[in-house]
PDB file of all heavy atoms in Angstrom:
ATOM      1  N   ARG A   1      88.077 114.661  92.040  1.00 97.00           N
ATOM      2  CA  ARG A   1      87.125 115.351  91.164  1.00 97.00           C
ATOM      3  C   ARG A   1      86.263 116.356  91.924  1.00 97.00           C
ATOM      4  O   ARG A   1      85.310 116.911  91.367  1.00 97.00           O
ATOM      5  CB  ARG A   1      86.248 114.326  90.437  1.00 97.00           C
ATOM      6  CG  ARG A   1      87.066 113.354  89.598  1.00 97.00           C
ATOM      7  CD  ARG A   1      86.215 112.453  88.732  1.00 97.00           C
ATOM      8  NE  ARG A   1      87.009 111.372  88.134  1.00 97.00           N
ATOM      9  CZ  ARG A   1      86.598 110.612  87.117  1.00 97.00           C
ATOM     10  NH1 ARG A   1      85.405 110.821  86.585  1.00 97.00           N
ATOM     11  NH2 ARG A   1      87.373 109.646  86.642  1.00 97.00           N
ATOM     12  N   GLY A   2      86.582 116.569  93.194  1.00 96.00           N
ATOM     13  CA  GLY A   2      85.917 117.615  93.952  1.00 96.00           C
ATOM     14  C   GLY A   2      84.499 117.306  94.380  1.00 96.00           C
ATOM     15  O   GLY A   2      83.705 118.215  94.643  1.00 96.00           O
ATOM     16  N   LEU A   3      84.167 116.014  94.508  1.00 97.00           N
ATOM     17  CA  LEU A   3      82.792 115.630  94.850  1.00 97.00           C
ATOM     18  C   LEU A   3      82.557 115.508  96.350  1.00 97.00           C
ATOM     19  O   LEU A   3      81.411 115.386  96.777  1.00 97.00           O
ATOM     20  CB  LEU A   3      82.446 114.299  94.182  1.00 97.00           C
ATOM     21  CG  LEU A   3      82.548 114.230  92.661  1.00 97.00           C
ATOM     22  CD1 LEU A   3      82.118 112.855  92.181  1.00 97.00           C
ATOM     23  CD2 LEU A   3      81.701 115.313  92.019  1.00 97.00           C
ATOM     24  N   VAL A   4      83.614 115.514  97.154  1.00 98.00           N
ATOM     25  CA  VAL A   4      83.484 115.206  98.576  1.00 98.00           C
ATOM     26  C   VAL A   4      84.259 116.219  99.410  1.00 98.00           C
ATOM     27  O   VAL A   4      85.095 116.972  98.900  1.00 98.00           O
ATOM     28  CB  VAL A   4      83.986 113.772  98.881  1.00 98.00           C
ATOM     29  CG1 VAL A   4      83.120 112.735  98.175  1.00 98.00           C
ATOM     30  CG2 VAL A   4      85.452 113.607  98.486  1.00 98.00           C
ATOM     31  N   SER A   5      83.971 116.203 100.708  1.00 98.00           N
ATOM     32  CA  SER A   5      84.641 117.116 101.634  1.00 98.00           C
ATOM     33  C   SER A   5      85.900 116.518 102.233  1.00 98.00           C
ATOM     34  O   SER A   5      86.778 117.252 102.699  1.00 98.00           O
ATOM     35  CB  SER A   5      83.674 117.518 102.752  1.00 98.00           C
ATOM     36  OG  SER A   5      82.607 118.292 102.232  1.00 98.00           O
ATOM     37  N   SER A   6      85.996 115.210 102.283  1.00 98.00           N
ATOM     38  CA  SER A   6      87.209 114.517 102.719  1.00 98.00           C
ATOM     39  C   SER A   6      87.130 113.094 102.212  1.00 98.00           C
ATOM     40  O   SER A   6      86.041 112.602 101.859  1.00 98.00           O
ATOM     41  CB  SER A   6      87.339 114.524 104.256  1.00 98.00           C
ATOM     42  OG  SER A   6      86.414 113.618 104.841  1.00 98.00           O
ATOM     43  N   ALA A   7      88.276 112.429 102.173  1.00 98.00           N
ATOM     44  CA  ALA A   7      88.312 111.030 101.740  1.00 98.00           C
ATOM     45  C   ALA A   7      89.260 110.253 102.634  1.00 98.00           C
ATOM     46  O   ALA A   7      90.375 110.706 102.926  1.00 98.00           O
ATOM     47  CB  ALA A   7      88.759 110.919 100.285  1.00 98.00           C
ATOM     48  N   THR A   8      88.798 109.081 103.062  1.00 98.00           N
ATOM     49  CA  THR A   8      89.641 108.144 103.806  1.00 98.00           C
ATOM     50  C   THR A   8      89.681 106.844 103.015  1.00 98.00           C
ATOM     51  O   THR A   8      88.625 106.293 102.678  1.00 98.00           O
ATOM     52  CB  THR A   8      89.091 107.886 105.212  1.00 98.00           C
ATOM     53  OG1 THR A   8      89.006 109.128 105.923  1.00 98.00           O
ATOM     54  CG2 THR A   8      89.999 106.937 105.980  1.00 98.00           C
ATOM     55  N   ALA A   9      90.871 106.372 102.709  1.00 98.00           N
ATOM     56  CA  ALA A   9      91.034 105.169 101.891  1.00 98.00           C
ATOM     57  C   ALA A   9      91.813 104.119 102.675  1.00 98.00           C
ATOM     58  O   ALA A   9      92.906 104.401 103.167  1.00 98.00           O
ATOM     59  CB  ALA A   9      91.761 105.506 100.594  1.00 98.00           C
ATOM     60  N   LEU A  10      91.238 102.935 102.804  1.00 98.00           N
ATOM     61  CA  LEU A  10      91.864 101.827 103.515  1.00 98.00           C
ATOM     62  C   LEU A  10      92.392 100.832 102.490  1.00 98.00           C
ATOM     63  O   LEU A  10      91.615 100.219 101.746  1.00 98.00           O
ATOM     64  CB  LEU A  10      90.849 101.150 104.438  1.00 98.00           C
ATOM     65  CG  LEU A  10      90.101 102.065 105.410  1.00 98.00           C
ATOM     66  CD1 LEU A  10      89.071 101.261 106.207  1.00 98.00           C
ATOM     67  CD2 LEU A  10      91.070 102.778 106.343  1.00 98.00           C
ATOM     68  N   SER A  11      93.716 100.685 102.427  1.00 98.00           N
ATOM     69  CA  SER A  11      94.358  99.823 101.428  1.00 98.00           C
ATOM     70  C   SER A  11      93.741 100.023 100.048  1.00 98.00           C
ATOM     71  O   SER A  11      93.228  99.084  99.432  1.00 98.00           O
ATOM     72  CB  SER A  11      94.250  98.346 101.844  1.00 98.00           C
ATOM     73  OG  SER A  11      95.021  98.080 102.989  1.00 98.00           O
ATOM     74  N   PRO A  12      93.790 101.247  99.534  1.00 98.00           N
ATOM     75  CA  PRO A  12      93.119 101.505  98.253  1.00 98.00           C
ATOM     76  C   PRO A  12      93.790 100.813  97.085  1.00 98.00           C
ATOM     77  O   PRO A  12      95.024 100.660  97.045  1.00 98.00           O
ATOM     78  CB  PRO A  12      93.231 103.029  98.113  1.00 98.00           C
ATOM     79  CG  PRO A  12      94.445 103.396  98.912  1.00 98.00           C
ATOM     80  CD  PRO A  12      94.439 102.448 100.073  1.00 98.00           C
ATOM     81  N   ALA A  13      92.983 100.382  96.130  1.00 97.00           N
ATOM     82  CA  ALA A  13      93.499  99.881  94.868  1.00 97.00           C
ATOM     83  C   ALA A  13      94.048 101.054  94.056  1.00 97.00           C
ATOM     84  O   ALA A  13      93.805 102.212  94.371  1.00 97.00           O
ATOM     85  CB  ALA A  13      92.389  99.173  94.104  1.00 97.00           C
ATOM     86  N   GLY A  14      94.801 100.709  93.005  1.00 97.00           N
ATOM     87  CA  GLY A  14      95.267 101.742  92.096  1.00 97.00           C
ATOM     88  C   GLY A  14      96.713 102.136  92.257  1.00 97.00           C
ATOM     89  O   GLY A  14      97.202 103.019  91.547  1.00 97.00           O
ATOM     90  N   PHE A  15      97.438 101.474  93.184  1.00 98.00           N
ATOM     91  CA  PHE A  15      98.847 101.793  93.397  1.00 98.00           C
ATOM     92  C   PHE A  15      99.739 100.571  93.148  1.00 98.00           C
ATOM     93  O   PHE A  15     100.878 100.544  93.575  1.00 98.00           O
ATOM     94  CB  PHE A  15      99.056 102.326  94.816  1.00 98.00           C
ATOM     95  CG  PHE A  15      98.310 103.602  95.082  1.00 98.00           C
ATOM     96  CD1 PHE A  15      97.095 103.589  95.749  1.00 98.00           C
ATOM     97  CD2 PHE A  15      98.821 104.817  94.641  1.00 98.00           C
ATOM     98  CE1 PHE A  15      96.395 104.770  95.983  1.00 98.00           C
ATOM     99  CE2 PHE A  15      98.127 106.002  94.870  1.00 98.00           C
ATOM    100  CZ  PHE A  15      96.914 105.980  95.537  1.00 98.00           C
ATOM    101  N   PHE A  16      99.214  99.575  92.460  1.00 96.00           N
ATOM    102  CA  PHE A  16      99.956  98.350  92.197  1.00 96.00           C
ATOM    103  C   PHE A  16     100.702  98.454  90.878  1.00 96.00           C
ATOM    104  O   PHE A  16     100.359  99.256  89.999  1.00 96.00           O
ATOM    105  CB  PHE A  16      99.030  97.137  92.157  1.00 96.00           C
ATOM    106  CG  PHE A  16      97.633  97.427  91.687  1.00 96.00           C
ATOM    107  CD1 PHE A  16      97.387  97.994  90.445  1.00 96.00           C
ATOM    108  CD2 PHE A  16      96.542  97.146  92.504  1.00 96.00           C
ATOM    109  CE1 PHE A  16      96.103  98.268  90.023  1.00 96.00           C
ATOM    110  CE2 PHE A  16      95.245  97.418  92.091  1.00 96.00           C
ATOM    111  CZ  PHE A  16      95.038  97.981  90.846  1.00 96.00           C
ATOM    112  N   ASN A  17     101.749  97.635  90.728  1.00 95.00           N
ATOM    113  CA  ASN A  17     102.366  97.466  89.412  1.00 95.00           C
ATOM    114  C   ASN A  17     101.704  96.276  88.725  1.00 95.00           C
ATOM    115  O   ASN A  17     100.800  95.636  89.292  1.00 95.00           O
ATOM    116  CB  ASN A  17     103.885  97.315  89.515  1.00 95.00           C
ATOM    117  CG  ASN A  17     104.303  96.114  90.350  1.00 95.00           C
ATOM    118  OD1 ASN A  17     103.622  95.097  90.391  1.00 95.00           O
ATOM    119  ND2 ASN A  17     105.457  96.228  91.011  1.00 95.00           N
ATOM    120  N   ALA A  18     102.143  95.957  87.525  1.00 94.00           N
ATOM    121  CA  ALA A  18     101.481  94.909  86.744  1.00 94.00           C
ATOM    122  C   ALA A  18     101.545  93.560  87.441  1.00 94.00           C
ATOM    123  O   ALA A  18     100.552  92.813  87.488  1.00 94.00           O
ATOM    124  CB  ALA A  18     102.095  94.832  85.351  1.00 94.00           C
ATOM    125  N   ALA A  19     102.712  93.223  87.998  1.00 96.00           N
ATOM    126  CA  ALA A  19     102.855  91.926  88.663  1.00 96.00           C
ATOM    127  C   ALA A  19     101.981  91.857  89.916  1.00 96.00           C
ATOM    128  O   ALA A  19     101.355  90.822  90.196  1.00 96.00           O
ATOM    129  CB  ALA A  19     104.318  91.688  89.024  1.00 96.00           C
ATOM    130  N   GLU A  20     101.928  92.936  90.675  1.00 96.00           N
ATOM    131  CA  GLU A  20     101.108  92.956  91.887  1.00 96.00           C
ATOM    132  C   GLU A  20      99.627  92.865  91.553  1.00 96.00           C
ATOM    133  O   GLU A  20      98.856  92.220  92.283  1.00 96.00           O
ATOM    134  CB  GLU A  20     101.408  94.233  92.677  1.00 96.00           C
ATOM    135  CG  GLU A  20     102.798  94.240  93.300  1.00 96.00           C
ATOM    136  CD  GLU A  20     103.234  95.628  93.743  1.00 96.00           C
ATOM    137  OE1 GLU A  20     102.660  96.637  93.274  1.00 96.00           O
ATOM    138  OE2 GLU A  20     104.169  95.713  94.560  1.00 96.00           O
ATOM    139  N   LEU A  21      99.231  93.476  90.458  1.00 96.00           N
ATOM    140  CA  LEU A  21      97.839  93.383  90.031  1.00 96.00           C
ATOM    141  C   LEU A  21      97.498  91.960  89.614  1.00 96.00           C
ATOM    142  O   LEU A  21      96.434  91.438  89.970  1.00 96.00           O
ATOM    143  CB  LEU A  21      97.574  94.354  88.885  1.00 96.00           C
ATOM    144  CG  LEU A  21      96.168  94.292  88.270  1.00 96.00           C
ATOM    145  CD1 LEU A  21      95.096  94.531  89.331  1.00 96.00           C
ATOM    146  CD2 LEU A  21      96.034  95.305  87.126  1.00 96.00           C
ATOM    147  N   ARG A  22      98.396  91.307  88.876  1.00 95.00           N
ATOM    148  CA  ARG A  22      98.146  89.912  88.481  1.00 95.00           C
ATOM    149  C   ARG A  22      98.011  89.024  89.715  1.00 95.00           C
ATOM    150  O   ARG A  22      97.155  88.132  89.756  1.00 95.00           O
ATOM    151  CB  ARG A  22      99.266  89.408  87.570  1.00 95.00           C
ATOM    152  CG  ARG A  22      99.237  89.954  86.158  1.00 95.00           C
ATOM    153  CD  ARG A  22     100.139  89.159  85.229  1.00 95.00           C
ATOM    154  NE  ARG A  22     101.534  89.224  85.639  1.00 95.00           N
ATOM    155  CZ  ARG A  22     102.390  90.158  85.230  1.00 95.00           C
ATOM    156  NH1 ARG A  22     101.986  91.128  84.431  1.00 95.00           N
ATOM    157  NH2 ARG A  22     103.653  90.126  85.630  1.00 95.00           N
ATOM    158  N   PHE A  23      98.863  89.257  90.705  1.00 95.00           N
ATOM    159  CA  PHE A  23      98.787  88.465  91.934  1.00 95.00           C
ATOM    160  C   PHE A  23      97.443  88.669  92.628  1.00 95.00           C
ATOM    161  O   PHE A  23      96.769  87.695  92.995  1.00 95.00           O
ATOM    162  CB  PHE A  23      99.933  88.868  92.876  1.00 95.00           C
ATOM    163  CG  PHE A  23      99.808  88.275  94.253  1.00 95.00           C
ATOM    164  CD1 PHE A  23     100.169  86.959  94.493  1.00 95.00           C
ATOM    165  CD2 PHE A  23      99.308  89.033  95.314  1.00 95.00           C
ATOM    166  CE1 PHE A  23     100.042  86.409  95.768  1.00 95.00           C
ATOM    167  CE2 PHE A  23      99.179  88.488  96.584  1.00 95.00           C
ATOM    168  CZ  PHE A  23      99.553  87.177  96.810  1.00 95.00           C
ATOM    169  N   ALA A  24      97.040  89.924  92.817  1.00 95.00           N
ATOM    170  CA  ALA A  24      95.786  90.208  93.513  1.00 95.00           C
ATOM    171  C   ALA A  24      94.594  89.640  92.744  1.00 95.00           C
ATOM    172  O   ALA A  24      93.682  89.041  93.337  1.00 95.00           O
ATOM    173  CB  ALA A  24      95.625  91.713  93.712  1.00 95.00           C
ATOM    174  N   ALA A  25      94.602  89.814  91.421  1.00 95.00           N
ATOM    175  CA  ALA A  25      93.502  89.289  90.608  1.00 95.00           C
ATOM    176  C   ALA A  25      93.448  87.771  90.694  1.00 95.00           C
ATOM    177  O   ALA A  25      92.358  87.177  90.768  1.00 95.00           O
ATOM    178  CB  ALA A  25      93.655  89.744  89.161  1.00 95.00           C
ATOM    179  N   GLY A  26      94.607  87.121  90.702  1.00 95.00           N
ATOM    180  CA  GLY A  26      94.642  85.666  90.814  1.00 95.00           C
ATOM    181  C   GLY A  26      94.089  85.180  92.138  1.00 95.00           C
ATOM    182  O   GLY A  26      93.337  84.195  92.195  1.00 95.00           O
ATOM    183  N   VAL A  27      94.444  85.876  93.220  1.00 94.00           N
ATOM    184  CA  VAL A  27      93.919  85.501  94.540  1.00 94.00           C
ATOM    185  C   VAL A  27      92.408  85.658  94.575  1.00 94.00           C
ATOM    186  O   VAL A  27      91.679  84.784  95.082  1.00 94.00           O
ATOM    187  CB  VAL A  27      94.582  86.355  95.636  1.00 94.00           C
ATOM    188  CG1 VAL A  27      93.850  86.180  96.974  1.00 94.00           C
ATOM    189  CG2 VAL A  27      96.050  85.991  95.789  1.00 94.00           C
ATOM    190  N   LEU A  28      91.910  86.757  94.041  1.00 94.00           N
ATOM    191  CA  LEU A  28      90.471  87.000  94.062  1.00 94.00           C
ATOM    192  C   LEU A  28      89.722  85.973  93.214  1.00 94.00           C
ATOM    193  O   LEU A  28      88.657  85.481  93.611  1.00 94.00           O
ATOM    194  CB  LEU A  28      90.179  88.422  93.572  1.00 94.00           C
ATOM    195  CG  LEU A  28      90.630  89.538  94.515  1.00 94.00           C
ATOM    196  CD1 LEU A  28      90.544  90.891  93.818  1.00 94.00           C
ATOM    197  CD2 LEU A  28      89.786  89.552  95.784  1.00 94.00           C
ATOM    198  N   ARG A  29      90.270  85.661  92.062  1.00 94.00           N
ATOM    199  CA  ARG A  29      89.628  84.643  91.209  1.00 94.00           C
ATOM    200  C   ARG A  29      89.609  83.285  91.909  1.00 94.00           C
ATOM    201  O   ARG A  29      88.593  82.576  91.877  1.00 94.00           O
ATOM    202  CB  ARG A  29      90.363  84.530  89.873  1.00 94.00           C
ATOM    203  CG  ARG A  29      90.146  85.697  88.925  1.00 94.00           C
ATOM    204  CD  ARG A  29      90.968  85.505  87.661  1.00 94.00           C
ATOM    205  NE  ARG A  29      90.848  86.600  86.723  1.00 94.00           N
ATOM    206  CZ  ARG A  29      89.896  86.701  85.797  1.00 94.00           C
ATOM    207  NH1 ARG A  29      88.989  85.751  85.694  1.00 94.00           N
ATOM    208  NH2 ARG A  29      89.874  87.728  84.976  1.00 94.00           N
ATOM    209  N   ALA A  30      90.721  82.927  92.540  1.00 91.00           N
ATOM    210  CA  ALA A  30      90.778  81.650  93.245  1.00 91.00           C
ATOM    211  C   ALA A  30      89.793  81.618  94.408  1.00 91.00           C
ATOM    212  O   ALA A  30      89.148  80.590  94.672  1.00 91.00           O
ATOM    213  CB  ALA A  30      92.203  81.407  93.750  1.00 91.00           C
ATOM    214  N   SER A  31      89.664  82.727  95.110  1.00 90.00           N
ATOM    215  CA  SER A  31      88.719  82.801  96.218  1.00 90.00           C
ATOM    216  C   SER A  31      87.287  82.638  95.716  1.00 90.00           C
ATOM    217  O   SER A  31      86.457  81.981  96.364  1.00 90.00           O
ATOM    218  CB  SER A  31      88.864  84.144  96.940  1.00 90.00           C
ATOM    219  OG  SER A  31      90.145  84.276  97.519  1.00 90.00           O
ATOM    220  N   ARG A  32      87.018  83.186  94.566  1.00 92.00           N
ATOM    221  CA  ARG A  32      85.671  83.062  94.000  1.00 92.00           C
ATOM    222  C   ARG A  32      85.379  81.625  93.584  1.00 92.00           C
ATOM    223  O   ARG A  32      84.270  81.117  93.799  1.00 92.00           O
ATOM    224  CB  ARG A  32      85.531  84.008  92.810  1.00 92.00           C
ATOM    225  CG  ARG A  32      84.090  84.243  92.369  1.00 92.00           C
ATOM    226  CD  ARG A  32      84.032  85.431  91.430  1.00 92.00           C
ATOM    227  NE  ARG A  32      82.654  85.847  91.211  1.00 92.00           N
ATOM    228  CZ  ARG A  32      82.038  85.801  90.022  1.00 92.00           C
ATOM    229  NH1 ARG A  32      82.684  85.336  88.970  1.00 92.00           N
ATOM    230  NH2 ARG A  32      80.799  86.219  89.899  1.00 92.00           N
ATOM    231  N   VAL A  33      86.378  80.962  93.008  1.00 90.00           N
ATOM    232  CA  VAL A  33      86.203  79.564  92.636  1.00 90.00           C
ATOM    233  C   VAL A  33      85.975  78.709  93.885  1.00 90.00           C
ATOM    234  O   VAL A  33      85.105  77.828  93.915  1.00 90.00           O
ATOM    235  CB  VAL A  33      87.431  79.062  91.855  1.00 90.00           C
ATOM    236  CG1 VAL A  33      87.385  77.538  91.691  1.00 90.00           C
ATOM    237  CG2 VAL A  33      87.499  79.740  90.482  1.00 90.00           C
ATOM    238  N   ALA A  34      86.748  78.984  94.944  1.00 86.00           N
ATOM    239  CA  ALA A  34      86.612  78.218  96.177  1.00 86.00           C
ATOM    240  C   ALA A  34      85.230  78.390  96.808  1.00 86.00           C
ATOM    241  O   ALA A  34      84.741  77.478  97.497  1.00 86.00           O
ATOM    242  CB  ALA A  34      87.685  78.642  97.178  1.00 86.00           C
ATOM    243  N   ALA A  35      84.621  79.548  96.575  1.00 88.00           N
ATOM    244  CA  ALA A  35      83.291  79.804  97.140  1.00 88.00           C
ATOM    245  C   ALA A  35      82.171  79.180  96.319  1.00 88.00           C
ATOM    246  O   ALA A  35      81.009  79.193  96.744  1.00 88.00           O
ATOM    247  CB  ALA A  35      83.054  81.312  97.255  1.00 88.00           C
ATOM    248  N   ASN A  36      82.508  78.593  95.166  1.00 88.00           N
ATOM    249  CA  ASN A  36      81.492  78.049  94.274  1.00 88.00           C
ATOM    250  C   ASN A  36      81.131  76.619  94.670  1.00 88.00           C
ATOM    251  O   ASN A  36      81.289  75.665  93.915  1.00 88.00           O
ATOM    252  CB  ASN A  36      81.982  78.104  92.831  1.00 88.00           C
ATOM    253  CG  ASN A  36      80.869  77.863  91.837  1.00 88.00           C
ATOM    254  OD1 ASN A  36      79.706  78.138  92.113  1.00 88.00           O
ATOM    255  ND2 ASN A  36      81.226  77.336  90.678  1.00 88.00           N
TER     256      ASN A  36
END
């Protein structure tokens, strides 16, 4: 969107397919439960 002079992205989100997104979301949810 032209807001910056350069961008560096480390393992950026947004390039997953549906199955990969479900996997990542499941891991994150489980990690959150484990931290409770």
